[in-house]
Amino acid sequence: MQVTETAADGLKREYTITVPAGDLEQEITRRLGEIGRQVRLPGFRPGKVPMQILRTRFGPSVRGEVLQSTLQASSAEAISERKLRPALPPKVDIVSADEGADLEYKMAIELLPEIPEPSFAELDIERLVVEVPEEEVDGAIGRIAEQQRKSEVVERPAENGDILIVDLEGRIGEQEIPGAGGKDRQIVLGAGSSIPGFEDQLVGASAGEQRRVRVTFPADYAVADLAGKDADFEVDVKEVRRRSPIAIDDELGQAVGLENLAELRQELRQRLQRDYDAASRLRLKRSLLDKLAEGHDFPVPPGMVDLEFDNIWRQYQAQGEPPPAVAGAEATPAVGEVGAEATPAITDGDAVPTAAGPGQNDEAARAEYRRLAERRVRLGLLLAEVGRKNNITVTPDEVNQAITREARRHAGYERHVLDFYRQNPGAIDTLRAPIFEDKVIDFIVELAKIGERKITPQELLAMPDPAGEVALPS
């Protein structure tokens, strides 16, 4: 095999590769020999079919198979011999493949760049610290107490705060309102209906009573077909139930499976703290990625930028609005190096100016989104290299735990989820990527200078949402 470099431009390389006709013929003959030992043809004993007949019968298909396998093997060998690190699969263009002649083809390839070694000790990042206020725990306990609130049937007219158990049917003129009726529906009087005046007309109703409720849907009602229209509801009151006073005591904790009220408070405080810590971590990650983007400006493979840009642009055109990552989210492209492939999949947190809808100022949008795509690719390459050089990997146990969590998210369909990942190994990368991402981020945070600043929950929640995650396959 002869390999000649014909072009070198930045990260792009082109080679002309020639495989001697004799090597091809030798492989074709070997493959035909294998077929001859297995095939059964009338008039010939097994293994005794003449080579000429095998060539006539199977030669064209075998030659096609050999050409394909030779292209793959010779291009991989050329990449390996030159210690190239492809960013994407090489593009192959056959120049000559005539029977009896050498195989000659061109291979175009984009390489991963040399990535500078980051100095994480110089990164100065702020971690926001939020302590859960007691009043927020009190509010959470109050909501649980409301959910656990009991009721009992009473033999009297309904009052505000009572629960009515009703059968009802709604109509506009002679037409029934879809979804507005039902059996054994609960109506809490005084809870506030989306249809003004509806509950007020049921105050004073008794069990066994039928009432006609006449209302007008608000002009801004969520269902456009009903907005501003008059409607009649036939309400058959089956029960009037009085709600018991809210009791916040040890029995409330026991009602949700805990020992007492103190344990419930502790559980809720920890849950709220985890939520605030997660929100703070997202902002820490955003700050870290911004610092890395500011401090690193190396060339990136154009093909990877094209792929990332196409993903962003398809979303932009489909939604008619900027993707979340463009409208202020944070992200970075994920890079998976598989022999000759590395693909970006990170969302970026640049504050990219929002553009008009598709067709309006598309050129400006394209320029902004291409800049975003390049940033994502650069950050993704940088983080992937950090993971590679520091032997950061995702263990099988971590993947299995992620699959289990995903299955639990789909209650009643756990078996379907497990079967899906078992039958689609490639889909597991979507679970492995965020795990790897978190491990790389944690590694960098351990080395960086981290300052802490205490803020209130209101201050944290008022900050722009850094939506989007770095997703790096291991």
Side-chain angles (χ1 to χ4, degrees):
M1 181 181 73
Q2 180 180 351
V3 181
T4 305
E5 184 176 273
T6 57
D9 180 15
L11 297 175
K12 294 182 177 181
R13 300 289 186 276
E14 289 187 4
Y15 299 90
T16 295
I17 299 177
T18 303
V19 180
D23 293 352
L24 294 174
E25 179 58 30
Q26 183 178 351
E27 181 62 18
I28 291 171
T29 301
R30 186 192 67 79
R31 181 71 184 109
L32 287 172
E34 289 181 351
I35 293 174
R37 288 190 292 273
Q38 300 170 6
V39 73
R40 293 180 178 274
L41 293 180
F44 297 98
R45 288 176 299 172
K48 298 300 182 180
V49 181
M51 179 59 70
Q52 188 57 42
I53 293 178
L54 291 172
R55 286 186 180 278
T56 301
R57 186 96 176 243
F58 303 105
S61 62
V62 168
R63 178 174 175 78
E65 292 175 6
V66 169
L67 285 176
Q68 183 63 36
S69 62
T70 301
L71 286 171
Q72 294 176 350
S74 59
S75 60
E77 182 181 349
I79 290 169
S80 177
E81 285 181 350
R82 283 155 183 75
K83 295 182 173 57
L84 304 178
R85 296 180 61 203
L88 296 168
K91 295 179 180 179
V92 170
D93 183 19
I94 296 177
V95 176
S96 173
D98 294 337
E99 188 169 357
D102 295 345
L103 168 64
E104 181 180 336
Y105 66 94
K106 295 183 180 296
M107 180 178 72
I109 192 169
E110 288 186 13
L111 306 180
L112 290 173
E114 290 296 325
I115 299 174
E117 185 76 28
S119 177
F120 298 128
E122 299 176 1
L123 288 176
D124 191 359
I125 308 171
E126 182 180 66
R127 177 186 282 119
L128 303 176
V129 179
V130 176
E131 294 181 359
V132 179
E134 285 302 311
E135 56 267 26
E136 191 161 344
V137 179
D138 292 339
I141 289 177
R143 289 189 292 274
I144 291 176
E146 182 66 35
Q147 294 167 2
Q148 296 294 323
R149 196 173 181 180
K150 296 179 174 58
S151 65
E152 60 181 0
V153 176
V154 291
E155 300 295 334
R156 60 164 173 74
E159 301 173 356
N160 266 324
D162 287 343
I163 299 174
L164 298 187
I165 309 299
V166 304
D167 295 343
L168 76 163
E169 181 181 278
R171 292 182 177 278
I172 293 179
E174 298 298 320
Q175 178 140 14
E176 186 174 344
I177 303 173
K183 301 288 187 181
D184 296 327
R185 299 279 291 270
Q186 289 192 13
I187 299 175
V188 180
L189 299 184
S193 171
S194 60
I195 310 173
F198 184 90
E199 293 172 12
D200 295 342
Q201 298 180 56
L202 294 175
V203 173
S206 300
E209 184 179 345
Q210 290 185 332
R211 284 200 176 189
R212 172 173 287 185
V213 176
R214 291 185 169 89
V215 295
T216 300
F217 285 97
D220 59 350
Y221 194 67
V223 181
D225 290 344
L226 303 179
K229 294 184 179 178
D230 296 330
D232 290 332
F233 285 85
E234 295 292 339
V235 182
D236 182 5
V237 180
K238 301 171 76 172
E239 285 184 0
V240 177
R241 303 186 69 89
R242 178 180 60 198
R243 296 197 294 169
S244 303
I246 295 178
I248 298 179
D249 52 23
D250 287 343
E251 288 187 8
L252 178 60
Q254 294 164 6
V256 294
L258 300 174
E259 289 292 328
N260 49 44
L261 180 61
E263 189 171 332
L264 175 59
R265 291 187 68 86
Q266 182 65 14
E267 174 68 24
L268 290 173
R269 183 181 292 103
Q270 291 175 352
R271 187 183 305 171
L272 289 166
Q273 190 66 62
R274 285 195 298 270
D275 290 342
Y276 286 130
D277 289 347
S280 175
R281 177 184 166 79
L282 283 179
R283 287 163 175 82
L284 177 70
K285 182 190 300 184
R286 165 67 182 272
S287 177
L288 185 151
L289 292 174
D290 283 345
K291 294 278 188 180
L292 291 176
E294 291 169 6
H296 297 84
D297 186 20
F298 51 85
V300 294
M304 294 181 70
V305 176
D306 290 342
L307 289 175
E308 185 63 23
F309 170 79
D310 288 345
N311 289 335
I312 297 173
W313 192 251
R314 278 196 299 271
Q315 184 178 357
Y316 166 63
Q317 291 186 312
Q319 296 181 351
E321 59 186 24
V326 175
E330 173 54 52
T332 35
V335 177
E337 219 177 312
V338 187
E341 182 171 3
T343 49
I346 318 183
T347 24
D348 190 352
D350 270 353
V352 178
T354 58
Q360 304 174 35
N361 203 18
D362 274 358
E363 287 306 313
R366 282 181 176 275
E368 293 293 349
Y369 295 158
R370 183 163 290 279
R371 183 188 66 80
L372 174 63
E374 182 174 330
R375 170 184 158 116
R376 289 184 180 183
V377 171
R378 184 174 290 110
L379 282 172
L381 289 170
L382 180 63
L383 295 183
E385 187 71 359
V386 171
R388 186 182 71 85
K389 286 187 173 180
N390 294 281
N391 299 315
I392 298 174
T393 59
V394 177
T395 67
D397 282 346
E398 289 170 330
V399 172
N400 289 335
Q401 291 170 13
I403 293 175
T404 301
R405 287 193 297 270
E406 189 67 17
R408 288 173 179 165
R409 289 182 57 244
H410 299 80
Y413 297 91
E414 291 88 349
R415 176 54 54 188
H416 298 282
V417 173
L418 295 175
D419 288 344
F420 170 77
Y421 285 109
R422 189 177 297 112
Q423 296 165 11
N424 299 273
I428 293 178
D429 286 342
T430 62
L431 301 180
R432 182 184 288 109
I435 301 172
F436 182 63
E437 164 219 328
D438 281 342
K439 297 178 79 167
V440 173
I441 293 295
D442 288 341
F443 174 82
I444 297 175
V445 168
E446 285 293 322
L447 300 177
K449 297 177 183 176
I450 304 295
E452 293 189 349
R453 178 165 63 97
K454 290 186 178 182
I455 62 173
T456 66
Q458 293 74 21
E459 290 173 324
L460 178 67
L461 297 177
M463 294 179 177
D465 183 17
E469 293 286 341
V470 180
L472 296 176
S474 58

